Amino acid sequence: MLLSTHSQTVDDNYVLVASLDNVRNLSNILKAITFKDHAIFNATPNGLKVTVEDSKCLQANAFIQAEIFQEFTIKEDSVGFQINLTVLLDCLTIFGGSTVAGVTTALRMCYNGYGYPLTLFLEEGGVVTVCKINTQEPEEPIDFEFCSTNVTNKVILQSESLKEAFSELDMTSEVLQITMSPSQPYFRLSTFGNSGNAHYDYPKDSDMMELFQCSKTQTNRYRMSLLKPSTKALALSCKVSVRTDSRGFLSLQYLVRNDDGQICFVEYYCCPDEEAEEEY
Amino acid sequence: MPVFGKAIHALARIGDELWLDPMVKGLAVRSVNSAHSAYACFCFSPLFFQRYCPNTGPAGACGTVKCKLVMKSLLPLFRCLATIERNVDCCQISINLPDNRVIFQFHCRHGITKTHNLGFQESEALQAVFSSHLCPNVLKAQARLLGDMVMHFPVSQEEITLSMSPLRVNLKNYYEEDKDRIKAMHTKMSLDPSEFDYFQVGVDSDITFCLKELRGFLSFAESYGLPVSVHFGAAGKPVSFSMEDMVLEANVVLATLVDPESKTLSQATDVPPPAALRCGGVGEPMEKDGDAAPPQAQRFPSGNELVVSSQGSPVTGGAAPPCVTRTEGFDRLRTPPQAHAGPGITAPDSSEVHSLLFGAMSCEQGFGRSSVLPSLVCSSDTEDDGRL
C-alpha cells in the first residue's frame, strides 16, 4: 500500500502509528461525539479513546480498540494530546462522503509525541493527501466516578425503539426526565414542553428490552441541550445501555458496528439537573 | 389511525388552531384560518372508533366540553403517518377536564406506550352554517378527478376560478389585474359536464377561492377514496367541498371573491343578491327570514360592503358591532374605525372577499337573533340545522 512505503523510513520517530483501510471506521464514530470543537485523544496499547466534554456536566467517549486498526503501534504506555475535532473530521473526510461501492479511503495516522502535530496520510484511488494538525496540551478528562458497584438501575434496549422516541422528543422542553423503576412505568422518558407533557413508556417485558435490572425507583432530570448530541450516537448504534447510579448520574453506552461489522463503543455521562424539581 | 392523522394534516393546512368537539353523535375536529375565509370540519361518527365514550367523567351542563388546541402542538404527534401506520396499534384520546388536558395515548409495537398530555383552552364551539342544499350549483366527482384538475396548477398558485355554465366547467388560475401579467403562467382547463358524477347548474357563475387551503382536504379525500361534492352559488358566496360516508363527514367551506362588477349594485341588505339579478329567475329564499339560520346565510351582501363581524363581541340589537372588511389576499383582517353603516357604503375598489364569519357564540344566544348579521356562524345548539 502506498502509505506504508512512504513513511517506513521515518517510522522510528513516531510514538503512535495507526492505520485503517477504511477511514470511515474512525470518522463515523467520531461524528457521534462531535458537539464541541476540542477533543482529548488518549492512546494506549488497547486502542484509542477520544473524549469530548461540555460545561463540566457532560462527557462523551469514543473507544476504538486496537484490533479495529490494520496497524496500531504505540511506543509508550499512554499517549495523549488535545486536538480540534472539527478540523480532524474535515481532514478525515477530505475525499468527500462518497460511498461508491468498493472505494474506500485509507488512513495512516502518525504522532511524534509531545509538541508535534498529528500527521494524517489519506489515500483514495491513488491520490494522497497529507494533513498536519496542531496538537495541544491534553486536559485531564473529568472523572465522573461512575462505577459499576454504584449502579442502581440498568436497562439495555435495542436502539431502534429509542431512536423514534428521541427523534420525536419535544424540544421545547428544557429537561429530559428519565424514570427507572422495578414497578410501573418501568422505564419512562418524559418531556415538559410548551404544549404539554409527553411520556414514552417501555415495559420491562417488551421485546425491545434486552436487560432490565432496576432495584429502586429513580426519577432524574437532565438538561435536554446536553443530551441532544447523544442522538447521533444513538443513530449509529444497535444497542444502548442506560444506567443511573445512586447520585442520579446517567451513563449511556452505545454499541456501534462499523462498516466492517466490528464493534466499537461510545458512552455519554451526564449530571442530573440540580434545579428544584416540581411534580407534574 | 392514519385516517385521523391525515385529517389532522388537512386541518393543519387551514388554520393554526384545532377545535376538538366530542359530541354524542361523534367527534368533530375543526379548524378555521386566521382570516376566517376558510373553515374545515371533520366529523367522525362513533363507528369510526373502536370505542367511543363521550361524557365520561363529570360532564358539565352543556354535556360535553369543547377544546381548542394549538395545531403546532398536535401536528408533530401525527407528523409521520407511515411510521404511525407501522408502529401504532391503537390511539386513545381522552379529555381530562380538571387539568385542562387532552390526552393522546399511542399504544405501539413492542409494548411501548407514548402518552402526550396537551393543554387546551376551553372554547365555544366553532361551526360554520352553510346551507349547501340551497346552493344552486352542485358538482359531484371522485376526489381523483378534482385532484387531477388542480394538479395542473403550480403549488404556489394562491387562488383559482371555477366557472360553471350549462355547457362547460372551467377552471383557471386567478391573477390580480395590476400584477405583471406577462410573468404569470395562465392555465385553464375545461371539462364537460358528463365528466362529473353529478352536475347541476342553477346559475352561471364564476367563483374564485383559495386553492392552497383546499389542497389538504383534496389529498385527504383522494387517499380516503370518496366522491366529493361541491356546492356553490354566485361569486361572493361561499363554496363548500364535502364528502361523507358511514363513519365520517368532512367538509371545507371557503369564501369566494366578490365579482368586482357588482360594485355598482345597491348595498342594502334586504335587496336580493346579484345572483338573482344575474340569472333572473333563480329564486333565492331571501324573504322568509325569521326562520332557521340557513336563509340568513344567503343574505350575503354583495359588493364591497362592510360586513359585520360577530367575532367575540356580544351582539345586541342596537349596538354597533365592530366591522370587518376583507381585502384581497385572504390574510388581512382589518377593523375599520367607523361603525357599521347602512347601505350606500362603498369600500375601496380592490376586490374584496366576504369572510365567512365565525363567532364564538355561546350556547345561550339564539341564532335567529339578528338579521343584520350575515354571519355563517350558528350556535352549537343548531348542529342539526345548517348541516354541512
Side-chain angles (χ1 to χ4, degrees), chain A residues 219-243:
Chain A
T219 301
N220 293 105
R221 293 183 174 197
Y222 307 92
R223 296 214 76 79
M224 186 72 87
S225 52
L226 291 178
L227 285 185
K228 194 70 178 84
S230 70
T231 332
K232 279 195 239 174
L234 181 63
L236 283 179
S237 67
C238 46
K239 280 191 210 174
V240 56
S241 110
V242 183
R243 300 180 299 165

PDB file of all heavy atoms in Angstrom, chain A residues 219-243:
ATOM      1  N   THR A 219     -36.125   8.846  39.645  1.00  0.00           N
ATOM      2  CA  THR A 219     -36.515   9.804  38.612  1.00  0.00           C
ATOM      3  C   THR A 219     -35.484  10.903  38.593  1.00  0.00           C
ATOM      4  O   THR A 219     -35.228  11.532  39.610  1.00  0.00           O
ATOM      5  CB  THR A 219     -37.897  10.405  38.921  1.00  0.00           C
ATOM      6  OG1 THR A 219     -38.854   9.361  38.983  1.00  0.00           O
ATOM      7  CG2 THR A 219     -38.313  11.391  37.838  1.00  0.00           C
ATOM      8  N   ASN A 220     -34.889  11.107  37.441  1.00  0.00           N
ATOM      9  CA  ASN A 220     -33.876  12.160  37.332  1.00  0.00           C
ATOM     10  C   ASN A 220     -34.122  12.993  36.092  1.00  0.00           C
ATOM     11  O   ASN A 220     -34.638  12.505  35.095  1.00  0.00           O
ATOM     12  CB  ASN A 220     -32.468  11.554  37.251  1.00  0.00           C
ATOM     13  CG  ASN A 220     -32.064  10.881  38.530  1.00  0.00           C
ATOM     14  OD1 ASN A 220     -32.050   9.663  38.625  1.00  0.00           O
ATOM     15  ND2 ASN A 220     -31.758  11.685  39.536  1.00  0.00           N
ATOM     16  N   ARG A 221     -33.727  14.239  36.194  1.00  0.00           N
ATOM     17  CA  ARG A 221     -33.875  15.121  35.048  1.00  0.00           C
ATOM     18  C   ARG A 221     -32.509  15.553  34.547  1.00  0.00           C
ATOM     19  O   ARG A 221     -31.615  15.844  35.343  1.00  0.00           O
ATOM     20  CB  ARG A 221     -34.656  16.360  35.435  1.00  0.00           C
ATOM     21  CG  ARG A 221     -36.065  16.034  35.768  1.00  0.00           C
ATOM     22  CD  ARG A 221     -36.811  17.283  36.082  1.00  0.00           C
ATOM     23  NE  ARG A 221     -38.212  16.975  36.261  1.00  0.00           N
ATOM     24  CZ  ARG A 221     -39.163  17.873  36.236  1.00  0.00           C
ATOM     25  NH1 ARG A 221     -38.855  19.133  36.041  1.00  0.00           N
ATOM     26  NH2 ARG A 221     -40.400  17.520  36.403  1.00  0.00           N
ATOM     27  N   TYR A 222     -32.411  15.631  33.243  1.00  0.00           N
ATOM     28  CA  TYR A 222     -31.150  16.058  32.622  1.00  0.00           C
ATOM     29  C   TYR A 222     -31.470  17.132  31.602  1.00  0.00           C
ATOM     30  O   TYR A 222     -32.500  17.098  30.942  1.00  0.00           O
ATOM     31  CB  TYR A 222     -30.471  14.862  31.935  1.00  0.00           C
ATOM     32  CG  TYR A 222     -30.322  13.687  32.869  1.00  0.00           C
ATOM     33  CD1 TYR A 222     -31.293  12.698  32.941  1.00  0.00           C
ATOM     34  CD2 TYR A 222     -29.226  13.604  33.734  1.00  0.00           C
ATOM     35  CE1 TYR A 222     -31.175  11.643  33.828  1.00  0.00           C
ATOM     36  CE2 TYR A 222     -29.105  12.548  34.624  1.00  0.00           C
ATOM     37  CZ  TYR A 222     -30.090  11.578  34.667  1.00  0.00           C
ATOM     38  OH  TYR A 222     -29.978  10.530  35.549  1.00  0.00           O
ATOM     39  N   ARG A 223     -30.561  18.071  31.458  1.00  0.00           N
ATOM     40  CA  ARG A 223     -30.813  19.153  30.520  1.00  0.00           C
ATOM     41  C   ARG A 223     -30.878  18.593  29.105  1.00  0.00           C
ATOM     42  O   ARG A 223     -29.969  17.891  28.665  1.00  0.00           O
ATOM     43  CB  ARG A 223     -29.690  20.202  30.601  1.00  0.00           C
ATOM     44  CG  ARG A 223     -29.629  20.893  31.944  1.00  0.00           C
ATOM     45  CD  ARG A 223     -29.182  22.353  31.809  1.00  0.00           C
ATOM     46  NE  ARG A 223     -30.237  23.203  31.301  1.00  0.00           N
ATOM     47  CZ  ARG A 223     -31.254  23.677  32.027  1.00  0.00           C
ATOM     48  NH1 ARG A 223     -31.342  23.382  33.297  1.00  0.00           N
ATOM     49  NH2 ARG A 223     -32.174  24.440  31.469  1.00  0.00           N
ATOM     50  N   MET A 224     -31.955  18.952  28.412  1.00  0.00           N
ATOM     51  CA  MET A 224     -32.158  18.455  27.052  1.00  0.00           C
ATOM     52  C   MET A 224     -31.005  18.851  26.144  1.00  0.00           C
ATOM     53  O   MET A 224     -30.569  18.079  25.299  1.00  0.00           O
ATOM     54  CB  MET A 224     -33.475  19.033  26.518  1.00  0.00           C
ATOM     55  CG  MET A 224     -33.876  18.486  25.178  1.00  0.00           C
ATOM     56  SD  MET A 224     -34.423  16.795  25.302  1.00  0.00           S
ATOM     57  CE  MET A 224     -36.135  17.032  25.687  1.00  0.00           C
ATOM     58  N   SER A 225     -30.496  20.064  26.347  1.00  0.00           N
ATOM     59  CA  SER A 225     -29.433  20.550  25.468  1.00  0.00           C
ATOM     60  C   SER A 225     -28.180  19.711  25.600  1.00  0.00           C
ATOM     61  O   SER A 225     -27.419  19.562  24.656  1.00  0.00           O
ATOM     62  CB  SER A 225     -29.116  22.014  25.786  1.00  0.00           C
ATOM     63  OG  SER A 225     -28.862  22.147  27.169  1.00  0.00           O
ATOM     64  N   LEU A 226     -27.976  19.128  26.782  1.00  0.00           N
ATOM     65  CA  LEU A 226     -26.792  18.294  26.970  1.00  0.00           C
ATOM     66  C   LEU A 226     -26.977  16.933  26.320  1.00  0.00           C
ATOM     67  O   LEU A 226     -26.041  16.370  25.767  1.00  0.00           O
ATOM     68  CB  LEU A 226     -26.507  18.100  28.467  1.00  0.00           C
ATOM     69  CG  LEU A 226     -26.041  19.317  29.251  1.00  0.00           C
ATOM     70  CD1 LEU A 226     -25.870  18.943  30.723  1.00  0.00           C
ATOM     71  CD2 LEU A 226     -24.725  19.847  28.699  1.00  0.00           C
ATOM     72  N   LEU A 227     -28.173  16.410  26.389  1.00  0.00           N
ATOM     73  CA  LEU A 227     -28.384  15.053  25.887  1.00  0.00           C
ATOM     74  C   LEU A 227     -28.642  15.000  24.391  1.00  0.00           C
ATOM     75  O   LEU A 227     -28.509  13.952  23.768  1.00  0.00           O
ATOM     76  CB  LEU A 227     -29.550  14.390  26.619  1.00  0.00           C
ATOM     77  CG  LEU A 227     -29.240  13.946  28.034  1.00  0.00           C
ATOM     78  CD1 LEU A 227     -30.424  13.193  28.620  1.00  0.00           C
ATOM     79  CD2 LEU A 227     -28.009  13.037  28.061  1.00  0.00           C
ATOM     80  N   LYS A 228     -29.012  16.122  23.827  1.00  0.00           N
ATOM     81  CA  LYS A 228     -29.334  16.120  22.403  1.00  0.00           C
ATOM     82  C   LYS A 228     -28.223  15.537  21.521  1.00  0.00           C
ATOM     83  O   LYS A 228     -28.500  14.767  20.614  1.00  0.00           O
ATOM     84  CB  LYS A 228     -29.681  17.550  21.966  1.00  0.00           C
ATOM     85  CG  LYS A 228     -30.361  17.633  20.617  1.00  0.00           C
ATOM     86  CD  LYS A 228     -31.780  17.080  20.677  1.00  0.00           C
ATOM     87  CE  LYS A 228     -32.496  17.210  19.353  1.00  0.00           C
ATOM     88  NZ  LYS A 228     -32.235  16.149  18.410  1.00  0.00           N
ATOM     89  N   PRO A 229     -26.945  15.874  21.775  1.00  0.00           N
ATOM     90  CA  PRO A 229     -25.894  15.320  20.908  1.00  0.00           C
ATOM     91  C   PRO A 229     -25.825  13.801  20.932  1.00  0.00           C
ATOM     92  O   PRO A 229     -25.346  13.186  19.993  1.00  0.00           O
ATOM     93  CB  PRO A 229     -24.601  15.917  21.480  1.00  0.00           C
ATOM     94  CG  PRO A 229     -25.024  17.112  22.231  1.00  0.00           C
ATOM     95  CD  PRO A 229     -26.400  16.829  22.730  1.00  0.00           C
ATOM     96  N   SER A 230     -26.330  13.198  21.994  1.00  0.00           N
ATOM     97  CA  SER A 230     -26.237  11.742  22.080  1.00  0.00           C
ATOM     98  C   SER A 230     -27.098  11.064  21.030  1.00  0.00           C
ATOM     99  O   SER A 230     -26.937   9.875  20.761  1.00  0.00           O
ATOM    100  CB  SER A 230     -26.650  11.265  23.477  1.00  0.00           C
ATOM    101  OG  SER A 230     -28.039  11.445  23.673  1.00  0.00           O
ATOM    102  N   THR A 231     -27.998  11.824  20.429  1.00  0.00           N
ATOM    103  CA  THR A 231     -28.847  11.243  19.392  1.00  0.00           C
ATOM    104  C   THR A 231     -28.019  10.741  18.228  1.00  0.00           C
ATOM    105  O   THR A 231     -28.380   9.775  17.559  1.00  0.00           O
ATOM    106  CB  THR A 231     -29.868  12.276  18.872  1.00  0.00           C
ATOM    107  OG1 THR A 231     -30.143  13.216  19.890  1.00  0.00           O
ATOM    108  CG2 THR A 231     -31.152  11.627  18.467  1.00  0.00           C
ATOM    109  N   LYS A 232     -26.885  11.404  17.982  1.00  0.00           N
ATOM    110  CA  LYS A 232     -26.029  10.966  16.873  1.00  0.00           C
ATOM    111  C   LYS A 232     -25.467   9.590  17.161  1.00  0.00           C
ATOM    112  O   LYS A 232     -25.393   8.733  16.286  1.00  0.00           O
ATOM    113  CB  LYS A 232     -24.874  11.959  16.677  1.00  0.00           C
ATOM    114  CG  LYS A 232     -25.262  13.193  15.883  1.00  0.00           C
ATOM    115  CD  LYS A 232     -24.019  13.944  15.409  1.00  0.00           C
ATOM    116  CE  LYS A 232     -24.049  15.358  15.954  1.00  0.00           C
ATOM    117  NZ  LYS A 232     -22.853  16.126  15.671  1.00  0.00           N
ATOM    118  N   ALA A 233     -25.046   9.407  18.395  1.00  0.00           N
ATOM    119  CA  ALA A 233     -24.507   8.099  18.763  1.00  0.00           C
ATOM    120  C   ALA A 233     -25.615   7.055  18.707  1.00  0.00           C
ATOM    121  O   ALA A 233     -25.405   5.915  18.290  1.00  0.00           O
ATOM    122  CB  ALA A 233     -23.894   8.168  20.162  1.00  0.00           C
ATOM    123  N   LEU A 234     -26.793   7.453  19.132  1.00  0.00           N
ATOM    124  CA  LEU A 234     -27.929   6.531  19.122  1.00  0.00           C
ATOM    125  C   LEU A 234     -28.231   6.085  17.698  1.00  0.00           C
ATOM    126  O   LEU A 234     -28.510   4.911  17.446  1.00  0.00           O
ATOM    127  CB  LEU A 234     -29.151   7.230  19.738  1.00  0.00           C
ATOM    128  CG  LEU A 234     -30.440   6.421  19.840  1.00  0.00           C
ATOM    129  CD1 LEU A 234     -30.259   5.228  20.755  1.00  0.00           C
ATOM    130  CD2 LEU A 234     -31.566   7.309  20.364  1.00  0.00           C
ATOM    131  N   ALA A 235     -28.130   7.020  16.777  1.00  0.00           N
ATOM    132  CA  ALA A 235     -28.454   6.706  15.389  1.00  0.00           C
ATOM    133  C   ALA A 235     -27.510   5.662  14.813  1.00  0.00           C
ATOM    134  O   ALA A 235     -27.886   4.860  13.975  1.00  0.00           O
ATOM    135  CB  ALA A 235     -28.411   7.987  14.554  1.00  0.00           C
ATOM    136  N   LEU A 236     -26.266   5.670  15.288  1.00  0.00           N
ATOM    137  CA  LEU A 236     -25.274   4.728  14.765  1.00  0.00           C
ATOM    138  C   LEU A 236     -25.355   3.365  15.428  1.00  0.00           C
ATOM    139  O   LEU A 236     -24.838   2.388  14.922  1.00  0.00           O
ATOM    140  CB  LEU A 236     -23.862   5.262  15.029  1.00  0.00           C
ATOM    141  CG  LEU A 236     -23.326   6.363  14.148  1.00  0.00           C
ATOM    142  CD1 LEU A 236     -21.932   6.727  14.623  1.00  0.00           C
ATOM    143  CD2 LEU A 236     -23.271   5.915  12.702  1.00  0.00           C
ATOM    144  N   SER A 237     -25.971   3.347  16.586  1.00  0.00           N
ATOM    145  CA  SER A 237     -25.837   2.159  17.435  1.00  0.00           C
ATOM    146  C   SER A 237     -26.916   1.141  17.168  1.00  0.00           C
ATOM    147  O   SER A 237     -27.948   1.440  16.561  1.00  0.00           O
ATOM    148  CB  SER A 237     -25.901   2.569  18.894  1.00  0.00           C
ATOM    149  OG  SER A 237     -27.188   3.048  19.190  1.00  0.00           O
ATOM    150  N   CYS A 238     -26.679  -0.075  17.649  1.00  0.00           N
ATOM    151  CA  CYS A 238     -27.742  -1.078  17.581  1.00  0.00           C
ATOM    152  C   CYS A 238     -28.284  -1.398  18.962  1.00  0.00           C
ATOM    153  O   CYS A 238     -29.414  -1.868  19.095  1.00  0.00           O
ATOM    154  CB  CYS A 238     -27.274  -2.334  16.866  1.00  0.00           C
ATOM    155  SG  CYS A 238     -25.669  -2.896  17.399  1.00  0.00           S
ATOM    156  N   LYS A 239     -27.485  -1.141  19.989  1.00  0.00           N
ATOM    157  CA  LYS A 239     -27.979  -1.358  21.347  1.00  0.00           C
ATOM    158  C   LYS A 239     -27.504  -0.226  22.227  1.00  0.00           C
ATOM    159  O   LYS A 239     -26.440   0.355  21.996  1.00  0.00           O
ATOM    160  CB  LYS A 239     -27.377  -2.648  21.934  1.00  0.00           C
ATOM    161  CG  LYS A 239     -28.045  -3.892  21.489  1.00  0.00           C
ATOM    162  CD  LYS A 239     -27.577  -5.069  22.318  1.00  0.00           C
ATOM    163  CE  LYS A 239     -27.651  -6.303  21.422  1.00  0.00           C
ATOM    164  NZ  LYS A 239     -27.103  -7.476  22.036  1.00  0.00           N
ATOM    165  N   VAL A 240     -28.269   0.052  23.265  1.00  0.00           N
ATOM    166  CA  VAL A 240     -27.850   1.093  24.203  1.00  0.00           C
ATOM    167  C   VAL A 240     -28.139   0.639  25.622  1.00  0.00           C
ATOM    168  O   VAL A 240     -29.185   0.047  25.900  1.00  0.00           O
ATOM    169  CB  VAL A 240     -28.548   2.438  23.881  1.00  0.00           C
ATOM    170  CG1 VAL A 240     -30.059   2.282  23.879  1.00  0.00           C
ATOM    171  CG2 VAL A 240     -28.165   3.517  24.857  1.00  0.00           C
ATOM    172  N   SER A 241     -27.186   0.923  26.503  1.00  0.00           N
ATOM    173  CA  SER A 241     -27.431   0.602  27.911  1.00  0.00           C
ATOM    174  C   SER A 241     -27.588   1.909  28.661  1.00  0.00           C
ATOM    175  O   SER A 241     -26.834   2.862  28.449  1.00  0.00           O
ATOM    176  CB  SER A 241     -26.267  -0.232  28.480  1.00  0.00           C
ATOM    177  OG  SER A 241     -25.520   0.514  29.409  1.00  0.00           O
ATOM    178  N   VAL A 242     -28.602   1.950  29.480  1.00  0.00           N
ATOM    179  CA  VAL A 242     -28.889   3.150  30.264  1.00  0.00           C
ATOM    180  C   VAL A 242     -28.707   2.790  31.733  1.00  0.00           C
ATOM    181  O   VAL A 242     -29.351   1.877  32.242  1.00  0.00           O
ATOM    182  CB  VAL A 242     -30.347   3.621  30.026  1.00  0.00           C
ATOM    183  CG1 VAL A 242     -30.617   4.910  30.783  1.00  0.00           C
ATOM    184  CG2 VAL A 242     -30.605   3.810  28.539  1.00  0.00           C
ATOM    185  N   ARG A 243     -27.808   3.521  32.395  1.00  0.00           N
ATOM    186  CA  ARG A 243     -27.568   3.216  33.809  1.00  0.00           C
ATOM    187  C   ARG A 243     -27.616   4.496  34.619  1.00  0.00           C
ATOM    188  O   ARG A 243     -27.174   5.564  34.147  1.00  0.00           O
ATOM    189  CB  ARG A 243     -26.183   2.580  33.992  1.00  0.00           C
ATOM    190  CG  ARG A 243     -25.989   1.276  33.236  1.00  0.00           C
ATOM    191  CD  ARG A 243     -24.592   0.715  33.476  1.00  0.00           C
ATOM    192  NE  ARG A 243     -23.545   1.617  33.018  1.00  0.00           N
ATOM    193  CZ  ARG A 243     -22.263   1.500  33.373  1.00  0.00           C
ATOM    194  NH1 ARG A 243     -21.868   0.529  34.186  1.00  0.00           N
ATOM    195  NH2 ARG A 243     -21.362   2.359  32.919  1.00  0.00           N
TER     196      ARG A 243
END
